[in-house]
Amino acid sequence: MSDVIEDLEEAGHKHGSPPPQRRSRAKVRVALAAAALVVLLAAASAFDYYRYRVSTDDAQVDAHIVPIAARISGSVAEVLVNDNQPVKAGQVLVRIDPRDYQAKVDQARAALALAESQARAAQVSVPWTRETTASGTSGAEAHLAAAEADYARSKASYEQAAGSDLAYARADVASHEARNKRAQADLERMRPLVEKAEISRQQFDAYAATAQVEESDLQAAREQLGTAQKEVEIRRAAMLQNQAKIEQARAGLTESRANSRQVDIRGAQAASAVAGIAQARANLEAADLSLSYTTLTAPTDGVVTKKSVEVGQIIQPGQDLLAVIPLHDVWVTANFKETQLANVRVGQKVEVKVDSYGKTFTGHVDSIAGATGARLSLLPPENATGNYVKVVQRIPVKIVLDPGQGDAPAGQAPLRVGMNADATIVTK
């Protein structure tokens, strides 16, 4: 370069025209210098351009793949969509024969009505049982009080009969025995006198009558004593009978008080009946829920894919029937080498070129996976086996396209899951 400049200066200072050969060599040197400058500038520009860019061709279009699976078993009654058909959220896809589940709903509804009627009956029985047991307890208490009063009266009567009345009867017998003894003794003393005519027959007859009267009174007093003794036994039996009535009344009161616990039992039965209502209602809700599962709808807008269900097919819970892919919400998963991610940050601009269209889409880095693809594979490598070979790993990077970038060019189909793409991240 310096030689060219010196030649130019020398040519400018000399007077006259230089030789032709010398002039030709100067032009060649100028052209070479210009070309070298252009190459240098291009290299510097390319270096500056690619210095802040990392690229990979290991990238694919991804989206949510929403599986539509059966939650109940049954026979397929209708299939209302075909493969690759666009659907809207809430659109009916498949109908399962609902008759078995409708019958279960009717049974659950009848069981709920029965539980409600049983609960009403149980709730009505609680106050009735409370009033009945309270009345029975009051009656038992009154009966016990009456039995105790009768026992007190009979006991007083027995004590009177066994005490003063019996003692009076015994004293009366003793008194009549003494008088009868005296009258009989007087009669025996008067008998020899009347035979000797020392006393008149009239006087003797008076003694005889007195003795006979005293003997009759004694007999009457003895009978009265026997009657008094029998009365004592009668009153004792009455007292014991009233005492038994007291025990019977106490037993009745205990039973009535025990029956009062029926209120708690009835209350527990009422609470159980209310719980039965809740259980029956839950069964009805479960039956309604199972019935709702007979209609399968699209959870989101998308395209039906991988349809494997047909009318008349018997399906089981968990069986995949089809999938819905929302093509309006796609992104790109680019697998960059771990050595390329030193300066990659969330939010950086990304240029994505899809092989199918040859068009470049713009987006940004949404997130970087927490592990390499190899570690997340079905059979991750085991580097502790002694066969370790260091291999550059790739880490998935999620790239979200800018709004409107997921649409395909005019006249072409939109982006599809699994399409190959090239991704370039602008790190600065």
Side-chain angles (χ1 to χ4, degrees), residues 278-394:
Q279 181 179 9
R281 184 173 290 114
N283 291 337
L284 176 58
E285 292 175 356
D288 281 330
L289 191 60
S290 296
L291 179 61
S292 69
Y293 293 156
T294 60
T295 300
L296 282 71
T297 59
T300 182
D301 296 350
V303 174
V304 174
T305 304
K306 199 179 178 181
K307 183 178 79 71
S308 61
V309 59
E310 299 295 340
V311 174
Q313 181 178 351
I314 303 299
I315 59 177
Q316 300 300 325
Q319 180 177 341
D320 289 333
L321 305 179
L322 52 90
V324 175
I325 300 179
L327 296 180
H328 61 279
D329 183 17
V330 298
W331 64 88
V332 174
T333 300
N335 300 299
F336 285 90
K337 296 179 181 179
E338 57 183 326
T339 55
Q340 295 177 297
L341 298 180
N343 298 320
V344 174
R345 301 290 183 271
V346 173
Q348 290 175 342
K349 181 181 177 181
V350 182
E351 296 175 354
V352 178
K353 182 179 179 181
V354 180
D355 294 352
S356 178
Y357 305 134
K359 176 186 175 182
T360 300
F361 300 89
T362 60
H364 63 275
V365 176
D366 178 78
S367 58
I368 301 174
T372 65
R375 179 57 63 183
L376 297 175
S377 65
L378 182 61
L379 296 174
E382 179 55 63
N383 295 331
T385 59
N387 298 325
Y388 173 67
V389 177
K390 186 173 183 180
V391 178
V392 177
Q393 300 295 314
R394 290 184 176 268

Side-chain angles (χ1 to χ4, degrees), residues 101-181:
Y101 297 97
Q102 182 62 55
K104 292 182 180 179
V105 169
D106 296 338
Q107 291 176 352
R109 187 171 288 112
L112 176 59
L114 177 62
E116 289 175 344
S117 64
Q118 290 176 344
R120 286 193 295 269
Q123 290 173 350
V124 169
S125 68
V126 172
W128 176 80
T129 304
R130 183 182 296 109
E131 293 174 1
T132 302
T133 54
S135 176
T137 302
S138 299
E141 290 174 348
H143 186 60
L144 175 61
E148 289 176 343
D150 292 341
Y151 172 73
R153 286 193 297 269
S154 63
K155 183 179 180 181
S157 178
Y158 165 71
E159 290 176 349
Q160 180 180 357
S164 61
D165 291 350
L166 185 59
Y168 176 78
R170 286 174 177 170
D172 190 44
V173 169
S175 175
H176 282 86
E177 284 179 345
R179 283 184 290 188
N180 179 57
K181 184 177 182 181

